[in-house]
Amino acid sequence: MALNNLERHAAVVDRSVLYSTLAQHPGALPLLVRVLGSSQFLADALRRRPQALAWLLEPATMRVWLPEDLAAELAQALAPFETREARMRGLRRVKYRHLLRIGARDLLGDADLAVTTAELAHLADACLAEALAFAESAARVAYGAPRDATGTETGVAVIAMGKLGGEELNYSSDIDLMFVYGADGETTGGRGGRVVNGEYFARVCRELVAFLKEVTDEGYAFRVDLRLRPEGRMGAVVLALDRYRDYYRERAELWERQALVKARVAAGDARVGAGFMELAREVVYRPGLDARILPAVRAMKAQIDRALGEKGDAATNVKLGRGGIREIEFLVQALQLLYGGDDAWLRERNTLKAIFRLTERGYLAPDLGRMLSEAYVHLRTVEHRLQILHEFQTHTLPSAPLELGRLARRVGLVGPPASAARAFRARHRRITEAVHRAFRAFFVAGSARPGDSVGGPSKGRGGSVRLPSVMALRATGFADPDRARHNLGRILEGRPLVPYPGQLHAALERLYPMLLDALWKSPDPDAALNQVERFLSAAGPRAGLIELLADRAELLTGLVRVCAGGDLLTQLLIAQPELLASLAAPERLLRPKRKPAYCAAVGQVFGPGLGPGERRDQLRRLKQAEELTIVWRYLGGVTTVDGYAREMTALAEAVLAAGWLLTLEPLVARHGVPRDAEGRFIPAVVVGLGKLGGRELCTGSDLDLFVVTADEGRTDGGDPIDASWFYSLAVERLAGALGDITAAGVAFPVDLRLRPGSKGSGFASSVAALERYYAEYGDLWERQTLTRARLVLGDPGLARRVRAALRGIVFGTPLPRAQLKEIGEVRKRMEVELGRETRGRWHVKYGRGGLVDVEFLTQALQLVHGRDHVDARAPATVAALHGLARAGALAPETAHRLADAYRFLRRVSAALRLLGARPSDSLELAGPMPARVASALGFPSRAAFLDAYGARRDAVRAAYLEAMT
């Protein structure tokens, strides 16, 4: 196949150029052989667009393209065209060019399943946005702008469902869509007169679908499936938000709730989309346990099995068959529907991430979670290799041994087709049987477990432990005694997929009365019990941990206190229950660490005998163990919020250093060391921004950073590349090494969006390129972000050069006070678009008087006064405030009040993150979170906390307005 396709490709290009490219470019032959030998549709696409080979061999092409990169590329490609037909062809050309890139990276092993499926989804999103923009522009000319009853313009949102919604698209997936518009009303009128909004948006949506589905000489873009909308094929193409609300409240079936698990706004009006997603959360995730869920999901799967049985496809269909993709999805979604109403962390659209979160929270036993993750990756990879061959929407394994052997080789098995087929058949059978056993254990044998009482009305197994009555639980402080009783029963019996072995019951019964006593003394017994149950479930058969808690009353009390005060800390314990034993040593908790100690701790990843994947997982586990002690110290009052942030930043820098070395090692082995024309080593430095730069990290923070290199040059290895591309690859892989979700969790998410050049640029730049970018292209907001820049890793000599360059960029010319208006406009837009505050919702970061008010005030004054006052240049906000006071830019009492308010707001933000608020930094006033935050911060009541918060909001906003005007 590869040879035939190579000959066909050579027939349409200049053979001398092709052969020269294959001889001179080290990556050309492996790419062509792998693509031409694995995918006929990609081979045909490359033959139709032979110039794409040169594009694929460019270093900047074969990387992860962010959604904004794809959107910008598509917009640029379509800009010259105005007619519908020309724009449709242009969109399809871009789509297939990027399918070539995504498929090549997948087949070469440069991108894993999660990256591949996410990029396919992001490509579809970009195409949807362009199709919607074209359809809307035409409709506006014809009918004018749609307005609601109040005269306010309204819009439409495209809701992605299924695999597109979960950002896990196939090569040949339909895209499942629904459409929603803001409100009923009428258009303002155009060439075609006025129409009601329903008709206007129906025309827009039908045109969008046609724009993507119609076949041109460049092929089609995407098949579109609208059957998940209310009433299916019989329903309206688009509905107003209120009509969706009525339908889901009165008529929706359970399978429609299940489908909304994956709903996501893919394009269109962000405000309308946010309204729909809020409705979807209310519909899908309901508090308490719904006994209808398991029978309904089991019935849906039985219906699928009957249909496959009639076709004789049950054993060979990787999607719908026995032990296939759908069984994993149904199991995961059933658990989400059962428990997601009470546990917001489970509300995840992506299947792999959802499995990780269910395991992390203890709803899946660790071995089972790992098996399901590996099975899902296997099944989806097989599905991809089936579909990438001819771009057919197929899920059935070939029956012919030769074809099965070829599939096995495309999946990665080695050997002749016959032996590869045998190995694949054995592996596939083992995986599907394991999945089907888990599915049956949950939906058949375990179908009656959720919500059951333990041992009858009042007793656990064996009858030796009595569950307290609902009345007794209410009298001892539980706000939800029914749920508390259910949780106590699960502590004694185990969860449906995480049952306790019999030998644990004696230890649990000894622990039980001590646990009740600790819960009754907790400031929030409901939250504490919820988290303790998750932890004990995750501990599984580790009887030693249960004995440790029963023997150490102070450790049990500490665990209950932490469980009441921090969902995310409990999450760390759930991921690694054995960490509890390390906390039994008081000296470990009472002694804060500095960066050298954290470097020594994470240095264990470089021990002998560990492979690359094992090192990445070990780095995550070591980071989580250290983070656990940091947060435990903070919640126990051993450190302040400033100390907590400094420790988290020191840990992040140590993890970053280890991750950088892990990333560089395989790159140096393949490409060599980057050197300049004189053979000197070309070093690099990592610049931290945001909370990393200001040493203000907390649990859940991203690492904002970029990388700067010394000079231009090339590597000296067997596969030489430009030095800038070497370090760009290193940065991209560093982001994956630290931020990718593995079975061991995440180290730190890495955010590269603040790098010089940002969209479409490489991930590393030289000092000269850095200075040139900010001099010629940098916006004021980009200069503002550099006020928090700090050198965190790399060559000391280069660091001095970069520090001097950044100092000149940021503080070389004082900012005229007239330009404060521009900073104020950006702040206002962030408050409206990101804060989205209402009477019932405050946003600690972006809201009025929030953290960003203090930060923008500080950074604006730094830009004004920083050239002449060194004290004003500190990257940490509190230090900068005091420096500005010493420089005379702020009154000392104002700086003191702002510093106090900033620390308070950081404590609130940390509490919300540790308590698992979703979204983070958002405080819902009507819910339970204000009372939980009040308890965590030591306030006597919810009202006292909200009064203190409100007073600081007002003070911060007043100071902000005074400084910025």
Side-chain angles (χ1 to χ4, degrees), residues 928-941:
M929 198 56 74
R932 296 188 69 192
V933 174
S935 175
L937 270 54
F939 283 90
S941 67

Side-chain angles (χ1 to χ4, degrees), residues 401-741:
L402 179 60
E403 290 302 314
L404 186 64
R406 289 172 175 167
L407 171 66
R409 288 165 62 90
R410 291 198 300 275
V411 169
L413 296 175
V414 296
S419 62
R422 286 193 298 272
F424 173 82
R425 198 178 289 113
R427 177 183 176 190
H428 186 72
R429 184 185 303 113
R430 183 177 68 254
I431 288 171
T432 54
E433 286 176 354
V435 169
H436 191 60
R437 278 197 303 271
F439 182 85
R440 285 185 57 82
F442 186 58
F443 284 100
V444 180
S447 62
R449 283 187 179 271
D452 285 357
S453 60
V454 178
S458 62
K459 294 186 179 181
R461 182 184 300 186
S464 59
V465 176
R466 297 184 65 85
L467 294 180
S469 68
V470 169
M471 184 179 299
L473 290 168
R474 181 180 289 111
T476 50
F478 285 94
D480 188 349
D482 288 312
R483 184 180 178 195
R485 195 167 188 274
H486 171 72
N487 278 333
L488 290 170
R490 288 201 303 198
I491 284 175
L492 291 172
E493 287 290 337
R495 289 183 174 173
L497 289 177
V498 199
Y500 295 141
Q503 65 267 29
L504 268 186
H505 282 280
L508 285 164
E509 289 177 5
R510 191 161 70 89
L511 175 69
Y512 188 73
M514 301 171 62
L515 175 60
L516 286 176
D517 185 61
L519 289 168
W520 290 334
K521 294 175 182 176
S522 169
D524 190 345
D526 293 271
L529 177 56
N530 290 342
Q531 303 290 9
V532 167
E533 188 277 323
R534 290 174 185 149
F535 169 74
L536 292 176
S537 175
R542 297 175 177 90
L545 292 178
I546 310 302
E547 295 285 356
L548 180 66
L549 287 170
D551 291 338
R552 297 284 298 274
E554 74 281 3
L555 191 62
L556 176 61
T557 301
L559 174 65
V560 169
R561 183 176 66 246
V562 164
C563 286
D567 290 15
L568 289 186
L569 184 58
T570 314
Q571 193 174 305
L572 289 175
L573 281 169
I574 287 170
Q576 298 184 69
E578 64 276 6
L579 292 179
L580 184 68
S582 69
L583 295 174
E587 64 277 6
R588 181 177 173 84
L589 300 178
L590 298 177
R591 189 176 61 249
K593 289 184 178 179
R594 296 183 180 274
K595 183 177 175 180
Y598 289 123
C599 287
V602 302
Q604 298 175 53
V605 301
F606 299 105
L610 295 177
E614 292 171 312
R615 286 179 170 178
R616 285 168 52 145
D617 285 351
Q618 176 77 339
L619 183 62
R620 282 155 171 73
R621 284 190 287 268
L622 291 167
K623 177 261 183 181
Q624 290 162 0
E626 297 298 338
E627 182 176 14
L628 178 61
T629 62
I630 294 171
V631 180
W632 193 294
R633 275 193 290 274
Y634 173 60
L635 290 177
V638 177
T639 55
T640 65
V641 70
D642 291 331
Y644 163 51
R646 282 194 298 270
E647 280 202 81
M648 282 297 301
T649 304
L651 174 61
E653 290 180 27
V655 171
L656 189 63
W660 186 242
L661 290 175
L662 292 176
T663 297
L664 290 177
E665 183 178 12
L667 288 174
V668 170
R670 177 176 176 180
H671 301 292
V673 173
R675 300 188 183 279
D676 63 16
E678 283 72 41
R680 294 185 297 251
F681 170 62
I682 300 174
V685 294
V686 178
V687 180
L689 300 167
K691 287 185 172 63
L692 175 61
R695 292 190 174 93
E696 296 170 354
L697 292 175
C698 65
T699 296
S701 294
D702 293 351
L703 304 185
D704 295 299
L705 57 85
F706 63 83
V707 169
V708 183
T709 66
D711 299 294
E712 300 298 330
R714 287 182 63 82
T715 59
D716 60 3
D719 183 6
I721 56 176
D722 290 342
S724 60
W725 183 239
F726 174 89
Y727 281 117
S728 284
L729 286 174
V731 177
E732 181 183 356
R733 295 183 185 184
L734 172 70
L738 299 186
D740 286 350
I741 295 176

Side-chain angles (χ1 to χ4, degrees), residues 609-930:
L610 295 177
E614 292 171 312
R615 286 179 170 178
R616 285 168 52 145
D617 285 351
Q618 176 77 339
L619 183 62
R620 282 155 171 73
R621 284 190 287 268
L622 291 167
K623 177 261 183 181
Q624 290 162 0
E626 297 298 338
E627 182 176 14
L628 178 61
T629 62
I630 294 171
V631 180
W632 193 294
R633 275 193 290 274
Y634 173 60
L635 290 177
V638 177
T639 55
T640 65
V641 70
D642 291 331
Y644 163 51
R646 282 194 298 270
E647 280 202 81
M648 282 297 301
T649 304
L651 174 61
E653 290 180 27
V655 171
L656 189 63
W660 186 242
L661 290 175
L662 292 176
T663 297
L664 290 177
E665 183 178 12
L667 288 174
V668 170
R670 177 176 176 180
H671 301 292
V673 173
R675 300 188 183 279
D676 63 16
E678 283 72 41
R680 294 185 297 251
F681 170 62
I682 300 174
V685 294
V686 178
V687 180
L689 300 167
K691 287 185 172 63
L692 175 61
R695 292 190 174 93
E696 296 170 354
L697 292 175
C698 65
T699 296
S701 294
D702 293 351
L703 304 185
D704 295 299
L705 57 85
F706 63 83
V707 169
V708 183
T709 66
D711 299 294
E712 300 298 330
R714 287 182 63 82
T715 59
D716 60 3
D719 183 6
I721 56 176
D722 290 342
S724 60
W725 183 239
F726 174 89
Y727 281 117
S728 284
L729 286 174
V731 177
E732 181 183 356
R733 295 183 185 184
L734 172 70
L738 299 186
D740 286 350
I741 295 176
T742 73
V746 172
F748 282 98
V750 175
D751 193 334
L752 304 172
R753 290 176 294 178
L754 297 180
R755 68 189 186 274
S758 197
K759 295 179 182 178
S761 67
F763 292 119
S765 59
S766 67
V767 180
L770 172 84
E771 293 177 309
R772 185 168 58 251
Y773 172 79
Y774 284 109
E776 298 178 5
Y777 306 107
D779 293 324
L780 176 56
W781 70 265
E782 292 178 286
R783 180 183 170 192
Q784 181 186 343
T785 64
L786 294 181
T787 58
R788 309 195 79 186
R790 182 172 63 87
L791 278 294
V792 297
L793 178 67
D795 178 76
L798 177 59
R800 287 191 289 273
R801 287 179 58 194
V802 174
R803 194 176 291 113
L806 292 173
R807 189 163 55 243
I809 293 166
V810 181
F811 301 115
T813 304
L815 183 73
R817 288 197 68 91
Q819 284 193 264
L820 294 180
K821 181 180 179 182
E822 182 179 341
I823 293 176
E825 288 172 351
V826 173
R827 170 67 187 110
K828 184 176 181 180
R829 193 161 65 246
M830 293 171 74
E831 183 177 342
V832 172
E833 297 176 5
L834 301 176
R836 296 179 182 175
E837 288 191 313
T838 66
R839 288 183 179 179
R841 182 191 300 121
W842 292 350
H843 202 285
V844 182
K845 183 176 182 180
Y846 294 115
R848 172 183 169 273
L851 288 164
V852 175
D853 266 9
V854 184
E855 291 166 355
F856 268 48
L857 177 158
T858 305
Q859 293 157 15
L861 293 181
Q862 285 178 294
L863 293 174
V864 173
H865 301 280
R867 187 190 70 174
D868 301 323
H869 301 280
V870 175
D871 281 354
R873 299 176 185 172
T877 303
V878 171
L881 284 169
H882 293 310
L884 288 165
R886 289 191 295 273
L890 272 178
E893 59 272 17
T894 301
H896 180 77
R897 284 198 306 271
L898 285 171
D900 173 75
Y902 191 68
R903 288 191 178 100
F904 173 83
L905 292 169
R906 284 172 60 203
R907 290 178 65 210
V908 175
S909 175
L912 287 169
R913 287 172 179 264
L914 291 170
L915 290 167
R918 292 290 183 273
S920 60
D921 292 320
S922 185
L923 186 66
E924 298 284 349
L925 302 187
M929 198 56 74

Side-chain angles (χ1 to χ4, degrees), residues 120-143:
L120 289 168
H122 296 158
L123 178 60
D125 288 351
C127 294
L128 279 167
E130 281 293 337
L132 178 61
F134 181 82
E136 279 202 288
S137 64
R140 280 177 177 265
V141 171
Y143 305 109

